[in-house]
Amino acid sequence: MELDLGLSLSPHTNSAKLGFDFDLNKHCAIDGSTASCLDSENLHFEATFRLNIEEGCYVPKPSVFALNGQPNEEDEDPLESESSTVYDEEENSEVVGWPPVKSCMIKYRSYHHRHSRNHHHCPYHHHGRRITVMNNRMATVESVGSSSTTSSRSSMYVKVKMEGVAIARKVDIKLFNSYESLTDSLITMFTQYEDCEREDTNYAFTFQGKEGDWLLPGDFPWRIFSESVHRISIIRDRPCAYTRLLF
Amino acid sequence: MALRLPSKVLKHILSFIDSNEDRNSVSLVCKSWFETERKTRKRVFVGNCYAVTPAAVARRFPEMRSLTLKGKPHFADYNLVPDGWGGYACPWIEAMAAKSPSLEEIRLKRMVVTDECLERIAASFKDFKVLVLTSCEGFSTDGIAAIASTCRNLRVLELRECIVEDLGGDWLSYFPETSTSLVSLDFSCLDSEVKISDLERLVSRSPNLKSLKLNPAVTLDGLVSILRRAPQLTELGTGSFAAELKPEAFTKLSKAFSNCKQLQSLSGLWDVLPEYLPALYSVCPGLTSLNLSYATVRMPDLVELLRRCSKLQKLWVMDLIEDKGLEAVASYCKELRELRVFPSEPDLDATNIPVTEQGLVYVSKGCRKLESVLYFCVQFTNAALITIARKRPNLKCFRLCVIEPFAPDYKTNEPLDKGFKAIAEGCKDLRRLSVSGLLSDKAFKYIGKHAKKVRMLSIAFAGDSDLMLHHLLSGCQSLKKLEIRDCPFGDTALLENAAKLETMRSLWMSSCFVSFGACKLLSQKMPRLNVEVIDEHPPKTRPESSPVERIYIYRTVAGPRMDTPEFVWTLHKNPEIGVSKLAIK
């Protein structure tokens, strides 16, 4: 008995639910140009800025294998928009339950990533993978996102700490192309959330590179900087009303 | 005229038969053998808690002293079974409390256990001795406290990889000062700190304590103090091994370990710093089991440790061991029977996994007694599989996880059909097989034909068509559990081989192309199967041809289950679609 079922090329509707299909919204650097998939400033803003509380206060539980498209129940962050499709830093893959590693081990691995002494390179891989099943086992895994040559990452999240603000933020460096656009956006972000006056404050930015030394904007050309920056620190001239409450 | 064996004689003979498989065969001989067997069976194993009712089990085995139950399907370990699916322990505990109050041992795997349930166990079984919960959830440390405080003769309390609501470390203090019977305690999955003085006292008054597995919150100092009080341990799970290294601390630790002259099994070792490994050297020569799956030690520190473990039979390690570490294992650990290599970065995108097929080939060549393998790597070759099969025909369990789905033989670009054919043909005693990588229907033809003793088969991202399922269901004579995900077969093979499903414990399929209509048909035609369609987001209407997300099919004599959540569809729930079994009865 020879069964010859031609496989349908259209993706299985359920595959999408299980994260099989590549979700364009999740990755902004598909073909190198960062602006193409960004509809509006708002989307840009919500997609890139993600609340991240300093380690030690709150450890977000890994939402590695969210079974449905709904926001992880444990993410009780009100600032994160419903449509925010920022990759959870613990989320390693888009395919549920693959590779088949038990959750106790995954929980330990992501814990380890955060606390490992040897951990120096960016854990924030965000490759999208499209797994397409085509006729007769010509299945391929397309690696979406710039893979080989220049950068091995399609986004790179860096912690930003503003003096006087307890909660650090995270920013995707890859979405910017100059120091000015970066600092501008950071100021916008902080003033929006911190309820500060933008105009009458002077902001001093310093950046920490891989080796640990602190640099000023412009010390390095943007490209080199964007590959190696680790942390950003912002110091304000005038603390605003909100931060007084935190002391 | 046939002479009947007097039942006393038969009883005596049966007292020598422990294996439940043999006892099951015995009970099929004739009615009197069935009766004698059931009245003498003490250890009862139920592989699927929904295959039979608790009342029926209690009725059949009045002398039951030990009950082992399994609930959720295996793929629940990888989050493929939504929360609330089922697998509740309560009805079983209730039934046993009423009918089998002499029950002494309960072992549950992948079940939902509540605090009330645990309290019931503590209250109902006067001589309760053993509680082992593996991959269970639904309870808190309060439930554990109830067991600790009430079960006076408790010998074994093991929580293995459970999800426990941790309300603090107080539970440990609930072991009464009079309790001295403890043989094994495993609380490695709990997060909270226990009071070390409570633990010290408990250990000191438990002379029979042989196995102790601490949680990561126990510090190195705590460990030293415990080891001093329990040098007779044969199994130890350490706590966290990552404290700051002080020379005196290191010496104390080494000395404590060297006093444990009977230690055979070592695990835990969370975050172990390589500088601490030499403290373990003294116990290495006696170790038969070493679990380094949480120890982020790299080469060459790993080799320094492993080359001292000449008696090692079981090794669980992360892929940080690299191929060259496995080469060392192959030359030093000649007694090795079981190897598991876990990914340190369980990431679909990880391309720099430091083990390759070569590592497994080394071990297969060097370790003659190797019979059980679980191996994660990025890609494989047919040649490696063929070599492994040739060198190790005694393999009983072979689980290969090529992390990259559809990865072909990276040297020849062919599917891994030939390799798995060699495994199926060569390893005649193979009982468990997990396949991965690029596989065509042919691979399953070989497996169906040759894997005669395989009882459990796991498949993901493989095959081309219905033929693959057809090969498996029409072959694989001993198949009991089949779990498949993301494979492109549809209804035909499933429906044509429906009868096979009654010879199996269960079949799990997810993200395949089986239609709702086929599920309905199967349910209607096969009353002794429970067919569950699991859809986290059930559509408002279900046309016959719509594919379903997940299906779980299992044979049962218990009839349809009554505790299904909303997202599980079974035939009897929808009388307008099919005939309700309940209506007929």
Side-chain angles (χ1 to χ4, degrees), chain B residues 20-21 24 45-52 68-74 109-110 431 455-456 478-483 499-508 528-530 552-557:
Chain B
N20 274 354
E21 274 195 45
N24 290 345
F45 172 82
V46 179
N48 174 4
C49 65
Y50 290 119
V52 63
T68 303
L69 286 174
K70 293 189 180 181
K72 300 187 203 174
H74 173 240
K109 187 166 187 179
R110 284 189 213 100
R431 289 169 66 99
R455 297 168 52 97
M456 181 168 176
S478 310
L479 194 61
K480 290 279 170 280
K481 286 191 283 187
L482 179 58
E483 46 186 27
K500 171 82 168 178
L501 300 177
E502 277 190 7
T503 67
M504 292 166 54
R505 185 190 294 171
S506 66
L507 167 60
W508 168 278
R528 286 186 299 196
L529 295 180
N530 274 357
Y552 185 44
I553 303 173
Y554 52 91
R555 65 179 172 189
T556 179
V557 293

Side-chain angles (χ1 to χ4, degrees), chain B residues 344-406:
Chain B
S344 49
E345 310 237 353
D347 185 344
L348 195 58
D349 300 327
T351 45
N352 53 353
I353 289 197
V355 294
T356 70
E357 79 281 6
Q358 193 49 46
L360 188 54
V361 169
Y362 286 137
V363 179
S364 305
K365 284 183 175 167
C367 302
R368 304 233 163 133
K369 302 190 183 172
L370 187 72
E371 53 182 36
S372 172
V373 171
L374 170 60
Y375 200 76
F376 283 83
C377 60
V378 177
Q379 45 200 10
F380 229 77
T381 61
N382 280 315
L385 283 169
I386 291 169
T387 306
I388 291 166
R390 199 177 68 236
K391 291 287 177 185
R392 293 276 66 75
N394 50 325
L395 280 175
K396 294 211 171 77
C397 167
F398 187 73
R399 296 161 70 188
L400 177 66
C401 180
V402 177
I403 295 184
E404 170 131 356
F406 312 118

Side-chain angles (χ1 to χ4, degrees), chain A residues 3 5 7 12 14 18 20 65 67-68 92-93 95-98 100 102 108-109 112 127 129 131 137, chain B residues 77-79 161 271 293-294 318 343-344 347 349 376 403 406 440 461 464 466 485 511 513 536-537 547:
Chain A
L3 291 179
L5 296 182
L7 287 179
H12 201 225
N14 296 312
L18 291 178
F20 231 54
F65 301 122
L67 276 176
N68 48 37
N92 289 324
S93 74
V95 181
V96 178
W98 191 264
K102 289 190 186 168
Y108 170 73
R109 301 280 185 263
H112 181 74
H127 266 210
R129 306 277 288 219
I131 299 175
R137 50 184 176 78
Chain B
D77 283 352
Y78 316 126
N79 296 326
E161 295 175 349
D271 294 325
S293 39
Y294 295 104
M318 283 207 261
S344 49
D347 185 344
D349 300 327
F376 283 83
I403 295 184
F406 312 118
S440 76
F461 306 108
D464 305 316
D466 272 60
R485 62 165 295 173
S511 305
F513 296 128
E536 273 212 286
H537 304 285

